[in-house]
Structures are given as structure tokens and as C-alpha cells.
């Protein structure tokens, strides 16, 4: 550990900041939740994503039928 501190102290202020930022990045990666391989958990999370209802889809389908009826305004 003393070797690490000695090396750190030899770096410029900018390099010390870069090293700390890199160490923080490594810590974030380490803390990131690792996938468990549990599909049930994944399915529960994915179903909580906002989705369109059947009513919403019907509105889109109806509007799609009328899309070709639109006319571009002449200038």
C-alpha cells in the first residue's frame, strides 16, 4: 500500500485527479448489480416498462388507415 501512495504522490495534480476518477469508475463497475441469470426477475422488470394498451394500438391502426387521405397544402 505504501508503494501505491508513493507512486500517487509522484504524479502531477492533473494525473492524481485522473487516477482518482479512474478508481471511482472501477468502484462503480464493481458495485453494479451483476446479472443473476434469473429470468423471472428479468421478466418482472421488463413488464414494468410502459406499454401501449389495446385501445392505444386501435387508435394507431385507425389513424394509419387515414394517413393517405392527408393532402399537402399548395403554396
Amino acid at each position: 500500500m505504501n508503494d501505491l501512495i508513493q507512486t500517487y504522490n509522484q504524479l502531477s495534480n492533473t494525473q492524481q485527479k485522473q487516477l482518482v476518477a479512474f478508481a471511482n469508475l472501477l468502484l462503480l463497475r464493481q458495485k453494479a448489480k451483476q446479472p443473476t441469470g434469473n429470468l423471472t426477475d428479468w421478466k418482472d422488470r421488463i413488464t414494468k416498462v410502459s406499454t401501449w394498451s389495446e385501445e392505444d394500438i386501435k387508435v394507431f391502426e385507425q389513424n394509419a388507415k387515414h394517413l393517405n387521405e392527408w393532402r399537402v397544402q399548395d403554396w
Side-chain angles (χ1 to χ4, degrees), residues 8 10 12 15 20 25 28 39 61 63-64:
Y8 175 83
Q10 292 176 20
S12 69
Q15 291 171 327
V20 170
L25 175 66
L28 284 174
L39 289 180
E61 289 172 347
N63 288 334

Side-chain angles (χ1 to χ4, degrees), residues 45-56:
R45 287 188 290 146
I46 199 74
T47 56
K48 293 178 183 174
V49 174
S50 176
T51 57
W52 290 329
S53 68
E54 292 297 321
E55 297 293 324
D56 297 331

Side-chain angles (χ1 to χ4, degrees), residues 8-70:
Y8 175 83
N9 289 333
Q10 292 176 20
L11 297 172
S12 69
N13 286 338
T14 303
Q15 291 171 327
Q16 287 177 353
K17 289 178 185 178
Q18 290 174 344
L19 182 60
V20 170
F22 180 69
N24 287 331
L25 175 66
L26 291 176
L27 286 173
L28 284 174
R29 286 183 183 172
Q30 181 176 317
K31 291 178 184 178
K33 186 176 180 181
Q34 297 295 322
T36 61
N38 183 353
L39 289 180
T40 304
D41 181 46
W42 178 80
K43 287 178 183 177
D44 289 342
R45 287 188 290 146
I46 199 74
T47 56
K48 293 178 183 174
V49 174
S50 176
T51 57
W52 290 329
S53 68
E54 292 297 321
E55 297 293 324
D56 297 331
I57 293 171
K58 286 179 185 177
V59 170
F60 285 119
E61 289 172 347
Q62 289 299 319
N63 288 334
K65 291 177 185 176
H66 300 291
L67 187 63
N68 289 333
E69 295 174 6
W70 292 1

